[in-house]
Amino acid sequence: MNRSGLGAALWELRESSGWEAKAVARGAAMSRSKLSKIETGNVTPSITDVDCILSALGVSEEVKAEFMAAARTAATEVTAWRLVRRLGYSRKQQQIQALESQTALLRLFQSSLVPGLLQTPEYARAVFARKDLPETQLERTIGARLARQAALYSDGKAFRFIVTEPVLHWQILPTLAMAGQIDRLISASRLPSVDIGIVPLSGPQQDFPGHSFSIKDTRTVTIEMVHAETVVTDPRDVSQYIEKFEGFSRAALSGDDMRALLENIRDEFLREQETG
């Protein structure tokens, strides 16, 4: 099987499995028309598309590995944000949720903003409000992002977050709302499935933050750039991101030390609120 024949192979797999297209499209967080275009070869599926479709079909790991190998023929995939906007940011959040549901270990490094899985509704609104969405689309997108957070309470999953300290001082909300966001991080850090590390401004560092990225198990790395989202699947490249993540993990504060730092930042916002 090669990448050009993926669509037909996915159609055959769905038909032989007895799944209706509507159900698979819903499970893969894509429109019925997009699934049809993929299966007929009119649209080349992305790595994420294939992963979501296979997860919706519930195929075995052996079958999934075969299809994903074909999807990964091009080891790096770039999707411009303008195309994501056309798809719909709420649907993109649903697609991410579908992938996260199939991920046992999610590692996320953030040097730009609070990770979406840890955002308060107010913070999420501030993030997506910059995209000039109509109010109905904005509400759906915020709701879809917050719905992803249910995974933090699931058994059998692990979430590791590394955040650089400047992110927590970047005031995109009023001071009281920023204090609430910091409180959210403190409470989330106590969940059994969640490990949060904060790379402090104080102390020597061995690396530069670069861009933010997330690693799903050891399969894929997703990198968010100004103009596009890049998905990397070559094992050699994935291992470099894992090494970078672990390096920052060693430099990060965790546990009670991390929570003490967060409490200090929160209290700074509260003092600023009181003094006006």
Side-chain angles (χ1 to χ4, degrees), residues 57-194:
L57 289 171
V59 300
S60 67
E61 289 301 318
E62 291 77 14
V63 171
K64 189 169 189 177
E66 179 185 356
F67 276 80
M68 291 303 294
R72 289 168 180 158
T73 301
T76 300
E77 181 177 284
V78 179
T79 303
W81 290 120
R82 63 180 181 274
L83 299 180
V84 174
R85 184 183 182 90
R86 191 179 307 164
L87 166 72
Y89 286 103
S90 60
R91 190 174 291 276
K92 175 64 175 177
Q93 290 298 306
Q94 292 167 356
Q95 194 174 62
I96 295 171
Q97 184 177 21
L99 290 176
E100 289 172 347
S101 70
Q102 301 297 318
T103 301
L105 171 61
L106 178 67
R107 285 171 279 205
L108 197 150
F109 174 78
Q110 261 294 358
S111 57
S112 303
L113 71 165
V114 172
L117 286 167
L118 302 175
Q119 289 175 5
T120 62
E122 294 83 2
Y123 197 100
R125 177 174 291 277
V127 170
F128 287 111
R130 296 177 58 255
K131 302 184 184 300
D132 296 323
L133 300 175
E135 186 62 26
T136 54
Q137 291 184 27
L138 178 60
E139 293 296 338
R140 283 201 300 269
T141 302
I142 294 170
R145 167 156 286 185
L146 297 179
R148 288 171 49 205
Q149 298 181 4
L152 299 176
Y153 304 90
S154 300
D155 295 331
K157 290 184 177 296
F159 299 87
R160 296 181 60 195
F161 302 95
I162 300 295
V163 181
T164 57
E165 185 182 346
V167 168
L168 308 176
H169 295 278
W170 200 261
Q171 192 175 333
I172 67 166
L173 292 171
T175 52
L176 193 58
M178 284 299 298
Q181 175 60 77
I182 302 301
D183 263 336
R184 166 62 177 156
L185 295 175
I186 294 171
S187 61
S189 73
R190 301 185 188 279
L191 294 173
S193 64
V194 173

Side-chain angles (χ1 to χ4, degrees), residues 109 160 162-164 197-200 205-210 213 242-253:
F109 174 78
R160 296 181 60 195
I162 300 295
V163 181
T164 57
I198 305 297
V199 182
Q205 296 296 334
Q206 305 298 318
D207 200 354
F208 298 95
F213 58 88
I242 292 175
E243 182 179 350
K244 189 175 185 74
F245 181 93
E246 295 302 337
F248 276 111
S249 179
R250 290 189 290 272
L253 298 177

